[in-house]
Amino acid sequence: MKTPHRIAPLVEDGLVDTVLRQLMSGKEAMVYVVQCGDEVRCAKVYKEANKRGFHKAVDYTEGRKVKNSRQARAMAKGSRYGRQEQEAAWQHAEVDALRQLAAAGVRVPVPYDFHEGVLLMELVADEDGEPAPRLNDIELGADDARRFHTFLIRQVVRMLCAGIVHGDLSEYNILVDAAGPVIIDLPQAVDAAANNNARRMLQRDVANLADYFGQFAPELRDTRYGEEIWALYETGKLQPDSPLTGTFKADETLANLDEVMQVIEAARREEAARQARLAGLPPEED
């Protein structure tokens, strides 16, 4: 097929030999199958911000690190330069997340290069070398549904242990090759420690899995892995191999209000005494 203009720079630089065909067009990007030497790979071409269908981007970009203070100020002001930098940061987020997650043992496509807004990465293929189907395109029995669900919950745990929450995980961005599920589409991945929305997003990701696989194994809809996983994470106890039960009981112990007020009052008096010493005043009487 004719080389899309966004991929032309990769052809000129020798990173891509030929564009074989378009694979898909999504809300964030268009994906092409390309020939790179002896290998067939994917080229993901990110859509410009005003052409993307992904909403509430601010929820996902909260807490992302930037290169320097000038970049941060420009992004906060929304200047032309700031918008350009914000767009570049959005696109680089997937590359960074893929590299970090691959190192953590999460099944994601291998990223090879990122050039001119195009991500060159592994083509996840089936046994015949054709692009692997998405999870929602294959038929599942109850046993396979349970097996895939267990595997993906463990992948969510590995991601969180690496400090990342997918943020948009569903049957539409999971491919299935001969070895099982592969997680894709990560430009909206969030920093679990720096983003105030991380807990809600993780629990939504896990709920999406339970809802989808629950069509084939109804008992999965009653599991509460999201709350269980986050509770372990918050207390610093989450490990890639942490035992999980799928159950969760919130701590409903009521705080002793009298004790809380005593602590607050003691802290107030201590601060008042410190301020009095600094000002050379007599201490506050009981």
Side-chain angles (χ1 to χ4, degrees), residues 176-214:
V176 181
D177 65 10
V182 179
I183 295 172
I184 62 170
D185 292 341
L186 288 144
Q188 73 292 319
V190 302
D191 184 324
N195 192 307
N196 290 321
N197 303 293
R199 175 178 181 171
R200 172 176 58 81
M201 291 180 181
L202 178 128
Q203 292 183 355
R204 184 179 63 195
D205 285 350
V206 173
N208 286 344
L209 295 177
D211 286 344
Y212 181 72
F213 290 113

Side-chain angles (χ1 to χ4, degrees), residues 82-104:
R83 291 193 298 272
Q84 291 173 345
E85 290 299 303
Q86 193 167 35
E87 185 66 12
W90 174 272
Q91 295 174 3
H92 274 93
E94 180 160 30
V95 186
D96 296 340
L98 286 173
R99 288 173 177 160
Q100 192 172 344
L101 293 176

Side-chain angles (χ1 to χ4, degrees), residues 44 48 83:
K44 184 171 186 176
E48 297 174 1
R83 291 193 298 272

Side-chain angles (χ1 to χ4, degrees), residues 122-144:
E122 172 191 8
L123 172 67
V124 180
D126 61 19
E127 295 177 343
D128 299 321
E130 293 297 316
R134 292 188 299 184
L135 177 59
N136 69 302
D137 290 328
I138 65 174
E139 293 186 11
L140 290 176
D143 289 343
D144 282 339

